[in-house]
């Protein structure tokens, strides 16, 4: 009996011949979009660039394909028919073009077409895409609409075929897929041969963060001993323990800590922060981690009519809250490797001066890129932006840059500036969740009115106070982090000197894999087989092109395991690439 098992895999160079032949069969011989040619093949100029083919198989044999044009190619098939003035979406930095969805005639009733559309969506998601555009044949327009694509108002006639130009936000398509097609995907996944370098299901309605290492431990906490064999380098938790005073106070009477309600407003902790930072206590707002403060503050300040400027790439929670939770109009200031992953302050000031923004968000030093603006440079830029635009500066990793690299003192004086500081990463308190905002007193008072009682737990308050009372311990750990970071970067470069390894100013390094080798997702998956968890940055932004891995600094033993797993992963995935 012939197997009819469906599969999906990346296209390879060896697939190009049958793809070009199938394109000719369908679009020249069958539909009349193009003239029949003696070679019996159809290809176009985009095939010489970084277009991606995904291939559907039936019983292991190719049955159809779909092509994806990512934004880093700098060109679109649609430009043969429409200018960017006609279709401004093509100028967005995060739009992907999905085109020539094609299934051979014998396999058109197998579900291959629907799976190719879904696979294209997941591939675009995995590379940080936020919008797709496509030309869909008018004869199949209902199928495209059912998948969530919406007409742009443009039609294109090519040969004997009329196409409708359609577009959609990636997040909207993903929500629709989960809600409308979950049962179908569940059924298909039972026997689907899925060979793409990304999970079949996105698995989350919220912002994806690091911390996948808990998959190896188990989120039911039944096998916590597994944590000893896991290297959790996919999240930027501190490699070092909290200060000795923190450990003492937490160990002193855990039963009392667990059963006792904390001070309602955490006023003692607020005064301790004020003393340690030289800030007025009435300028501080406390929360259970920075995400608590982001959700609380943004939902007070912003509406769907608000306009927001975000740096891209940056901490994903800001995109999630502004676009998905509130639904703001969001613009992006894109940074990349050519500018050292740093914000050009003149571009920033110009962007803010040229538009009526309600909020702009800066993460400094930036996560996930590590680029940093010196405090004096940022201070100068902040004094030149419109006062009606609220500026939010996230300083989660500022301690690694130095004690004089915060602009929190300026926030006390400027009503349009708010500085967010978390104690999670710098003070090794990620599991306890403590953060604070610095602003002028009226802004802080307004936010405190919207702060629920007991927002910061008793163990968290006790630990944070003890941590702030031992600055020497943490200064020594931050300095040691810089040494470990340099050692890790050097060891990773030694594995393959042709692969760039960039040191960030904080507690991680970036590895950018070459375009002709394994993807970031493949290397990350290979490392997990050795219980080493790294972060594939691809879903955060198209600027990473599916090639950048972020690796958190660990102690020397942890770093040695990271290097060993990375070496093995490169060898295994490169062998896989050469045999495709």
């Amino acid at each position: 009996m012939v197997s009819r098992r469906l599969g999906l895999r990346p296209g390879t160079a060896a697939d190009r011949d049958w793809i070009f032949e199938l394109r000719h069969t369908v679009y020249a011989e069958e539909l009349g979009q193009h003239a029949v040619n003696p070679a019996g093949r159809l290809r176009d100029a985009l095939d010489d660039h970084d277009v991606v083919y995904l291939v559907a198989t039936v019983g292991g044999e190719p049955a159809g394909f779909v092509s994806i044009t990512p934004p880093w190619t700098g060109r679109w098939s649609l430009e043969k028919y429409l200018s960017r003035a006609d279709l401004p979406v093509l100028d967005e930095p995060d739009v992907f073009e999905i085109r020539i969805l094609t299934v051979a005639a014998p396999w058109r009733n197998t579900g291959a077409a629907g799976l190719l559309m879904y696979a294209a969506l997941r591939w675009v998601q995995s590379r940080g895409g936020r919008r797709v555009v496509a030309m869909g044949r008018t004869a199949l327009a209902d199928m495209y609409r059912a998948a969530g694509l919406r007409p742009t108002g443009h039609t294109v006639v090519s040969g004997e075929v009329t196409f409708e130009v359609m577009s959609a936000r990636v997040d909207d398509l993903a929500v629709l897929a989960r809600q409308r097609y979950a049962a179908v995907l569940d059924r298909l996944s039972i026997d689907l041969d899925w060979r793409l370098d990304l999970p079949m299901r996105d698995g989350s309605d919220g912002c994806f963060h690091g911390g996948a290492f808990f998959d190896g431990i188990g989120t039911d906490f039944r096998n916590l001993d597994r944590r000893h064999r896991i290297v959790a380098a996919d999240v930027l938790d501190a490699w070092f323990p909290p200060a000795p005073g923190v450990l003492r106070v937490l160990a002193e009477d855990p039963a009392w800590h667990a059963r006792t309600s904390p001070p309602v407003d955490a006023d003692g902790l607020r005064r301790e922060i004020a003393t340690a930072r030289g800030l007025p206590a009435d300028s501080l707002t406390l929360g259970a981690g920075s995400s608590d403060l982001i959700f609380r503050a943004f939902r007070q300040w912003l509406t769907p009519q608000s306009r927001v400027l975000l740096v891209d790439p940056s901490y994903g929670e800001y995109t999630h809250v502004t676009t998905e939770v509130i639904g703001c109009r969001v613009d992006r200031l894109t940074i990349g490797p050519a500018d050292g992953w740093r914000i050009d302050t003149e571009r920033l000031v110009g962007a803010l001066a040229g538009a009526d923004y309600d909020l702009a968000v800066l993460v400094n030093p930036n996560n996930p890129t590590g680029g940093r603006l010196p405090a004096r440079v940022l201070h100068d830029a902040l004094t030149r932006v419109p006062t009606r635009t609220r500026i939010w500066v996230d300083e989660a990793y500022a301690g690694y840059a130095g004690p004089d690299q915060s602009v929190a003192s300026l926030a006390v004086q400027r009503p349009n500036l708010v500085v967010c500081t978390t104690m999670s990463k710098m003070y090794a308190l990620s599991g306890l969740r403590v953060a604070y905002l610095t602003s002028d007193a009226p802004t802080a008072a307004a936010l405190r009115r919207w702060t629920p009682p007991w927002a910061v737990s008793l163990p968290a308050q006790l630990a944070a106070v003890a941590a702030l009372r031992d600055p020497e311990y943490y200064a020594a750990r931050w300095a040691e982090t810089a040494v470990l970071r340099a050692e890790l970067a050097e060891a990773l470069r030694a594995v393959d000197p042709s692969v760039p390894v960039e040191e960030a100013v904080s507690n991680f390094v970036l590895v950018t894999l070459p375009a002709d080798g394994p993807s970031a997702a493949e290397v990350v998956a290979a490392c997990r087989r050795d219980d080493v968890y790294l972060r594939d940055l691809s879903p955060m932004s198209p600027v990473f092109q599916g090639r950048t891995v972020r690796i958190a600094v660990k102690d020397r033993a942890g770093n040695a395991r990271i290097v060993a797993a990375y070496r093995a992963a490169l060898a295994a995935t490169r062998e896989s690439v050469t045999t495709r």
Side-chain angles (χ1 to χ4, degrees):
M1 182 177 178
V2 178
S3 170
R4 292 175 65 89
R5 184 188 184 195
L6 289 170
L8 285 161
R9 61 172 175 78
T12 68
D15 288 314
R16 293 297 176 105
D17 282 342
W18 75 262
I19 286 175
F20 298 154
E21 289 172 2
L22 182 57
R23 282 169 66 173
H24 185 270
T25 299
V26 174
Y27 297 101
E29 299 174 9
E30 185 178 334
L31 297 176
Q33 180 188 356
H34 300 281
V36 174
N37 66 67
R41 296 182 181 184
L42 271 181
R43 54 172 297 158
D44 57 38
L46 280 174
D47 288 306
D48 296 325
H49 297 274
D50 292 332
V51 294
V52 173
Y53 283 101
L54 305 182
V55 173
T57 59
V58 178
E61 295 300 316
F65 64 88
V66 67
S67 177
I68 304 169
T69 308
W72 49 86
T73 65
R75 59 186 68 202
W76 312 106
S77 175
L78 272 163
E79 289 185 283
K80 291 185 293 187
Y81 311 102
L82 297 168
S83 71
R84 298 195 182 198
D86 295 324
L87 202 60
V89 68
L90 296 180
D91 278 327
E92 295 183 15
D94 48 14
V95 65
F96 287 65
E97 184 181 25
I98 299 176
R99 65 191 194 110
I100 47 179
L101 171 67
T102 309
V103 177
W107 311 116
R108 289 176 187 166
N109 294 317
T110 62
L115 277 173
L116 282 166
M117 291 177 66
Y118 177 73
L121 166 64
R122 288 291 297 119
W123 195 93
V124 171
Q125 268 187 307
S126 76
R127 267 61 178 182
R130 299 184 181 98
R131 180 170 289 278
V132 296
V133 292
M135 287 197 325
R137 284 193 290 136
T138 53
L140 301 176
D142 288 345
M143 179 183 77
Y144 292 118
R145 287 190 180 94
L149 290 164
R150 294 292 175 260
T152 64
H154 296 282
T155 57
V156 167
V157 177
S158 179
E160 298 177 16
V161 184
T162 300
F163 294 90
E164 192 163 8
V165 181
M166 312 183 87
S167 181
R169 294 175 65 250
V170 169
D171 286 332
D172 292 340
L173 295 175
V175 168
L176 184 64
R178 286 194 296 268
Q179 294 176 346
R180 185 178 294 178
Y181 301 111
V184 175
L185 292 169
D186 285 342
R187 185 174 69 252
L188 290 173
S189 65
I190 294 172
D191 194 39
L192 180 66
D193 185 17
W194 181 274
R195 298 192 182 186
L196 302 182
D197 65 351
L198 52 125
M200 179 183 175
R201 308 293 283 271
D202 63 0
S204 174
D205 290 326
C207 175
F208 177 76
H209 293 285
F213 70 90
F214 252 114
D215 294 342
I217 297 172
T219 54
D220 59 4
F221 309 126
R222 294 180 184 274
N223 296 286
L224 287 177
D225 60 304
R226 292 177 181 167
R227 71 188 187 277
H228 298 299
R229 67 170 188 251
I230 297 289
V231 179
D234 62 328
V235 66
L236 301 182
D237 294 337
W239 62 269
F240 51 84
V246 174
L247 299 178
R248 280 196 301 271
V249 73
L250 291 177
E252 188 175 81
D253 195 344
W256 183 74
H257 300 162
R259 70 172 183 262
T260 303
S261 297
V264 175
D265 299 318
D267 283 338
L269 172 57
R270 190 150 59 97
R271 289 191 296 270
E272 196 73 35
I273 294 169
T275 299
R277 297 288 178 262
L279 300 168
D282 63 359
S283 70
L284 302 176
T285 306
L286 271 60
S290 58
S291 290
D292 171 31
L293 294 168
I294 294 166
F295 272 79
R296 197 189 320 156
F298 284 21
R299 286 189 290 178
Q300 291 302 311
W301 298 337
L302 304 174
T303 71
Q305 288 70 49
S306 299
R307 193 169 180 188
V308 177
L309 181 67
L310 302 178
V311 173
D312 179 32
S314 191
Y315 181 50
E317 203 72 79
Y318 294 112
T319 293
H320 174 66
V321 174
T322 54
T323 62
E324 303 308 311
V325 177
I326 302 172
C328 304
R329 296 175 296 161
V330 173
D331 296 327
R332 291 177 170 83
L333 185 74
T334 303
I335 58 176
D339 46 35
W341 300 110
R342 291 175 179 83
I343 299 168
D344 182 325
T345 54
E346 294 308 312
R347 280 180 62 211
L348 172 67
V349 172
L352 293 174
D356 198 21
Y357 288 108
D358 298 284
L359 177 73
V361 178
L362 309 176
V363 181
N364 191 47
N366 189 27
N367 172 28
T369 68
R372 178 179 71 90
L373 288 175
R376 57 178 177 76
V377 175
L378 180 55
H379 184 289
D380 174 67
L382 293 173
T383 61
R384 294 188 287 138
V385 302
T387 56
R388 75 159 307 277
T389 299
R390 194 189 306 268
I391 309 295
W392 175 290
V393 178
D394 185 325
E395 294 188 341
Y397 303 93
Y400 288 117
D404 60 343
Q405 291 302 301
S406 172
V407 293
S409 59
L410 182 63
V412 176
Q413 308 163 27
R414 296 182 64 85
N416 70 326
L417 177 60
V418 177
V419 174
C420 181
T421 307
T422 177
M423 297 185 68
S424 295
K425 307 302 192 290
M426 301 298 306
Y427 289 89
L429 301 180
S430 289
L432 291 169
R433 317 303 304 152
V434 183
Y436 60 93
L437 300 180
T438 307
S439 64
D440 71 327
T443 298
L447 284 172
R448 287 198 298 271
R449 284 195 293 272
W450 287 96
T451 300
W454 309 295
V456 183
S457 71
L458 181 57
Q461 291 187 40
L462 291 165
V465 167
L468 290 165
R469 290 174 179 171
D470 196 350
E472 292 82 7
Y473 171 83
Y474 287 102
R477 298 289 78 73
W478 301 340
E480 191 174 353
T481 300
V483 174
L484 291 169
R485 184 183 68 223
E487 292 175 353
L488 175 61
E490 182 179 4
L492 291 170
R493 291 187 192 107
V495 172
D496 185 340
S498 70
V499 178
V501 179
E502 299 173 79
E503 281 192 65
V505 73
S506 49
N507 62 334
F508 60 88
V509 301
L510 299 183
V511 176
T512 302
L513 299 159
D516 59 352
S519 68
E522 290 172 317
V523 170
V524 166
C527 285
R528 287 184 184 180
R529 292 194 281 272
D530 289 323
D531 288 329
V532 171
Y533 284 73
L534 313 179
R535 180 76 183 270
D536 172 14
L537 296 182
S538 309
M540 297 188 72
S541 173
V543 301
F544 293 121
Q545 300 185 17
R547 297 285 158 189
T548 304
V549 178
R550 191 191 69 189
I551 305 175
V553 174
K554 297 296 161 185
D555 61 16
R556 285 188 172 85
N559 286 346
R561 285 192 56 195
I562 289 169
V563 173
Y566 171 71
R567 180 182 292 107
L570 279 190
T573 53
R574 281 173 172 166
E575 181 179 350
S576 174
V577 167
T578 59
T579 58
R580 284 178 186 169

